[in-house]
Amino acid sequence: MNINDEDLKQLLDNIRGGLDRESLEWRQAINRLLIKLQNSPELLTSSHFLYLEALDKTWEYVIENIHKFEPKPEIPISESFMKWVKGYLVWRIRDLYRQKASELSLDTEINPDLENPLTLLDILSENGFNSPTVSGLDAYLENKRQENIVTILQNFETYVLEDPEMLLRNCHPGNRPDCNCQLLSIKRLFTDPPEKFTNIARKLGIKYQTLKSHWERRCLPLLQQILKDLGYSNNGES
Amino acid sequence: MNSKEEQSIQIPIGIEAHRFADKFAAEQINIEKSKQVYLNTLAVYAVHRYLKWLGVKTDLNKSDCWNPILRHRWNIADLVIPNIGKLECRPVLAGETTISVPPEAIEERIGFLVVQLSEDLSQAQFLEFTKTKVTGFLEIKTLDSLDEFIHVISPPPVNLGNWFAAIFDEVWQPIDTLFNPQELAFNPRGLAFKGFKKDNGEEKISSSEIIERVKEINLGLLANSQQLNLVVSVRKEKNQELGCLFQIFPMNMEEYLPVGLKLKVILEAGEGEDKVEAEETKKKLRIRLTELPGKLITVQVHIDNEYVTEKFIF
C-alpha cells in the first residue's frame, strides 16, 4: 500500500517534534513509521543476506538521522521520504557488494548507471555466497561443525569436575569456602535442570545477592579464562 | 489498514546474524543442539537489532547465550537490556503454535518475546510478548502484545512528585543503607544538607524538607564493571521550583571513584547541560540544579564509552 501523504506528515511531525527519544510515545511512533515503510511497494526487496544486512542498517540510519531529512517542496512528502530511504539503502548495498566482492576476489567496479543494485547481489550468489534455509539447516550445520571446539568444551567440563589446580574450589566469597565456583558450576551447569540461585542461596544460608554477584563477577570470568586456556578463542564475538 | 500482516515489524536477518549463528552452532555436540543454538542466536540477534533501531541499548556480551559455556549447557535465548533486565527471545518457525520453555530460560527474565523466523531464515517477526513465567509449553496466542513490549522497554521517568507523597519505587532506597550507624549519628541530616546549604548560606533549612534516596547502578562490561551509588536529593524551593542534588558515590564509601568517571545532567530540549568528571582522588561527584515542574531531567553516568541514564520529572 502506498504511503498516505497526510499520515506520513503527521507521523514525522510527531517524531521530529521534540519527543524524548527514550519515551514510549517516540518509540511507538517509530514503530508505526517502520511498519508503513516496510509495507511500501516502492521499497526494493530481495531475500539475499547482504540485501537484508543493508536493509537492517538502513532502518538504523533512518531512525537515527530522521531529524536530518529535508522534504523537497516540489514533490509529495511520501515520495521525497522514500527517495531518501532508498538512496541510503542503495548506497549500503553497493558498499557491501564492494566489501564482499573483494573478499571473493571479484571485480569491485560498479557501473554507476546500474539501475537495479540487486543485480550485484546475484553476482555474489553465483559465487557461493549463501546462507541456509530451515529445511536445509541440518545438512548446512553438519558441514560446519568444529570438532576441535567440541573437544575443548568436553575437556573444559572434565576440568571443572576435577579442578586439578584447585582454581575453582579456591574461588569463593570471603569466609564461605562451601560457596565455591566448582560447587556452583556443578549445580548450575551440570544439573539438569539447573538449580535456581534462590534454592542454592537458601540451602547454603547465603544472601542471594552475594551468591549472584559472586557467580557473575568471579565464577563466570574464571570459567571463561579456563576455557580460553584450554584453547578456545573468542574471536569476533562482540 | 489494520490487518495483522501490516501491524507487525519485519526484522531482516542479515549476514552478521548468520555469522554469529554459524560460529555458535558449530561448537555444539550434535545436530539437534546446533540447530537449537542457531535459531536461538538468530532470534536474539534480531531483537538486538530491532532495539538498536529504537535506540535501546543491549548487552550481548552479558547475555548468557553469548557465553560459550552457558549456551553449550542450556537452551537459552536471553538478551540483557541494561537498566531494564533480561529478556528471553524464543524462536518459533512458521506454522508452530507452541514454544517450549525450559527452566533455565525462566530465571530472572522480565518477559518472553516470541520471535517467528521465516522458512528461508531471512526475516524475523514478533508474535507475542508475555510477562508470565511458565515452563513447559507456551501456546502462542496473540499478535497484539508488541505494544506491551515497548512499554516494558520504555519505563517512564522517575516521578519526583511522588517522593513528596512518600511513594518510592523499591530500587530507590533510603540513604541510611549507605552509612554505618556511627556515620549516620555524625551526619544526621543526610548527604544533601551541605550541598544545599552552600548555595543558600543564610537560609535556614530544616532537614525534613529534603528527601533523599539512593539507587545502585552498574556501569561497564562484565570484567571491569563498576557498581556505584546514585544519590538523589530533592526539596521544594520558591516559585514552585524543585531543588535537586545528584551525587555519585563508590559502592564502598571509603574508596575513590574510578578515574575518568563522568556525571552529566541534561535539561529538557537543549536548555542546558552540566558535567563533572572524577580525577584521581575523587570520592564523589555532584551536580546541583533547580528546575521547573513538568521538565524532564536526564542524568547520565559515563565511563569510557559506556553510560547509564536515569530520567526524572517533577
Side-chain angles (χ1 to χ4, degrees):
Chain A
M1 184 197 295
N2 278 315
I3 299 176
N4 176 308
D5 231 40
E6 203 41 49
D7 282 359
L8 181 71
K9 192 176 170 321
Q10 224 171 36
L11 200 47
L12 284 176
D13 285 350
N14 195 3
I15 289 168
R16 288 142 53 99
L19 278 176
D20 174 28
R21 278 190 172 232
E22 287 176 29
S23 67
L24 175 68
E25 296 73 20
W26 191 82
R27 286 172 179 167
Q28 283 171 329
I30 286 293
N31 218 53
R32 282 200 296 279
L33 176 71
L34 282 170
I35 290 171
K36 272 188 198 303
L37 294 175
Q38 294 186 340
N39 285 296
S40 162
E42 288 178 55
L43 196 71
L44 294 170
T45 51
S46 155
S47 58
H48 195 285
F49 292 91
L50 286 179
Y51 162 81
L52 297 163
E53 191 69 35
L55 186 62
D56 174 1
K57 295 288 173 2
T58 300
W59 297 139
E60 182 182 352
Y61 175 86
V62 164
I63 297 166
E64 203 182 328
N65 294 283
I66 196 136
H67 56 283
K68 291 185 187 158
F69 163 65
E70 288 171 13
K72 292 194 169 65
E74 67 280 9
I75 51 173
I77 188 166
S78 55
E79 198 183 323
S80 175
F81 192 64
M82 278 317 281
K83 270 198 167 135
W84 182 64
V85 172
K86 276 159 66 185
Y88 187 81
L89 177 60
V90 167
W91 179 82
R92 269 284 175 186
I93 292 172
R94 288 174 177 223
D95 188 54
L96 276 171
Y97 170 80
R98 278 198 195 92
Q99 278 177 37
K100 298 298 165 190
S102 88
E103 281 171 30
L104 296 169
S105 310
L106 301 175
D107 183 8
T108 57
E109 280 303 303
I110 300 171
N111 172 5
D113 301 327
L114 187 67
E115 247 180 43
N116 183 358
L118 295 177
T119 53
L120 291 172
L121 303 179
D122 297 337
I123 304 174
L124 294 178
S125 295
E126 284 160 19
N127 286 276
F129 210 83
N130 280 309
S131 282
T133 61
V134 171
S135 49
L137 198 54
D138 283 10
Y140 176 84
L141 293 172
E142 193 61 66
N143 291 328
K144 295 250 170 181
R145 182 180 326 286
Q146 301 224 338
E147 291 297 344
N148 60 329
I149 299 183
V150 175
T151 310
I152 291 171
L153 279 160
Q154 281 166 341
N155 293 344
F156 167 79
E157 293 183 1
T158 313
Y159 185 99
V160 170
L161 291 172
E162 292 174 358
D163 192 18
E165 295 162 280
M166 295 282 286
L167 290 176
L168 295 147
R169 275 167 290 176
N170 282 335
C171 176
H172 56 77
N175 53 354
R176 293 301 304 265
D178 56 333
C179 181
N180 67 63
C181 182
Q182 187 191 39
L183 176 113
L184 294 180
S185 301
I186 291 170
K187 286 186 181 295
R188 296 287 298 164
L189 299 175
F190 304 140
T191 309
D192 189 24
E195 200 166 332
K196 284 185 179 170
F197 279 122
T198 43
N199 278 355
I200 303 174
R202 202 179 48 238
K203 278 191 200 159
L204 292 176
I206 192 164
K207 263 166 68 182
Y208 172 83
Q209 265 315 326
T210 311
L211 180 69
K212 271 277 296 170
S213 121
H214 174 61
W215 172 255
E216 281 167 8
R217 291 165 166 268
R218 295 192 56 205
C219 296
L220 285 181
L222 175 62
L223 294 172
Q224 286 203 268
Q225 186 56 47
I226 292 169
L227 187 68
K228 204 174 146 200
D229 292 344
L230 290 169
Y232 181 88
S233 151
N234 249 346
N235 276 349
E237 276 191 31
S238 49
Chain B
M1 163 71 210
N2 282 335
S3 83
K4 282 168 181 172
E5 190 67 23
E6 277 172 328
Q7 281 185 340
S8 46
I9 282 276
Q10 299 282 336
I11 301 142
I13 305 177
I15 203 87
E16 280 291 298
H18 284 278
R19 192 172 63 82
F20 283 116
D22 270 1
K23 175 169 169 26
F24 297 172
E27 298 171 354
Q28 310 308 321
I29 196 142
N30 57 41
I31 280 291
E32 198 190 343
K33 178 68 187 172
S34 291
K35 206 163 161 176
Q36 175 201 93
V37 168
Y38 200 92
L39 300 177
N40 283 348
T41 308
L42 291 187
V44 170
Y45 202 77
V47 179
H48 155 75
R49 288 304 304 166
Y50 171 74
L51 292 176
K52 176 94 181 168
W53 301 346
L54 288 193
V56 179
K57 278 197 301 176
T58 59
D59 195 338
L60 287 170
N61 288 316
K62 264 191 192 163
S63 307
D64 292 343
C65 64
W66 238 248
N67 178 316
I69 300 162
L70 303 182
R71 71 174 164 255
H72 184 66
R73 299 297 310 191
W74 297 341
N75 176 3
I76 39 166
D78 63 318
L79 179 61
V80 170
I81 309 173
N83 272 354
I84 309 271
K86 197 184 260 193
L87 174 74
E88 184 70 18
C89 317
R90 298 307 293 185
V92 289
L93 299 173
E96 291 180 344
T97 53
T98 56
I99 51 165
S100 108
V101 184
E104 63 265 31
I106 296 277
E107 215 177 352
E108 298 178 315
R109 302 301 196 263
I110 52 163
F112 298 84
L113 189 58
V114 180
V115 182
Q116 182 175 282
L117 305 173
S118 63
E119 157 62 29
D120 61 359
L121 300 175
S122 70
Q123 300 279 348
Q125 193 179 328
F126 301 147
L127 287 193
E128 185 182 354
F129 175 73
T130 172
K131 288 197 247 180
T132 322
K133 294 183 175 188
V134 240
T135 41
F137 286 96
L138 177 70
E139 204 168 318
I140 306 160
K141 312 180 288 283
T142 83
L143 283 152
D144 305 320
S145 46
L146 188 60
D147 211 44
E148 199 189 346
F149 173 56
I150 302 180
H151 265 90
V152 168
I153 56 167
S154 315
V158 177
N159 185 339
L160 294 171
N162 283 344
W163 287 20
F164 291 100
I167 302 165
F168 305 96
D169 188 286
E170 62 179 22
V171 298
W172 290 97
Q173 289 288 315
I175 59 151
D176 46 6
T177 57
L178 289 177
F179 298 99
N180 62 42
Q182 249 177 350
E183 279 173 310
L184 202 61
F186 178 70
N187 194 9
R189 286 159 170 159
L191 289 163
F193 186 68
K194 282 184 198 159
F196 278 122
K197 199 179 164 194
K198 204 186 279 174
D199 290 5
N200 301 273
E202 322 83 58
E203 218 176 300
K204 285 263 182 216
I205 303 163
S206 86
S207 59
S208 63
E209 287 178 320
I210 302 171
I211 298 174
E212 294 186 292
R213 289 270 153 165
V214 59
K215 182 183 175 181
E216 218 177 273
I217 56 173
N218 280 297
L219 187 57
L221 296 171
L222 196 66
N224 49 7
S225 74
Q226 299 290 339
Q227 274 181 299
L228 302 160
N229 285 313
L230 171 63
V231 175
V232 178
S233 316
V234 288
R235 64 166 192 162
K236 289 178 180 167
E237 310 231 338
K238 288 177 214 155
N239 311 324
Q240 297 189 313
E241 284 189 341
L242 182 73
C244 309
L245 180 68
F246 299 101
Q247 301 183 88
I248 287 289
F249 295 91
M251 208 54 189
N252 176 349
M253 302 279 278
E254 297 306 303
E255 288 174 0
Y256 293 113
L257 289 167
V259 176
L261 188 82
K262 292 186 193 73
L263 171 66
K264 201 166 161 183
V265 178
I266 304 155
L267 299 181
E268 197 169 305
E271 282 168 25
E273 185 176 308
D274 206 346
K275 191 164 78 178
V276 285
E277 184 173 340
E279 299 133 26
E280 215 124 337
T281 52
K282 285 257 191 190
K283 285 191 171 177
K284 69 181 169 206
L285 291 176
R286 57 162 55 181
I287 291 177
R288 182 181 126 66
L289 60 100
T290 53
E291 183 55 292
L292 292 164
K295 299 278 186 181
L296 190 69
I297 305 167
T298 304
V299 175
Q300 288 179 342
V301 186
H302 291 248
I303 193 158
D304 304 326
N305 296 322
E306 296 280 317
Y307 65 95
V308 290
T309 302
E310 290 287 340
K311 288 175 187 270
F312 303 88
I313 196 151
F314 170 51

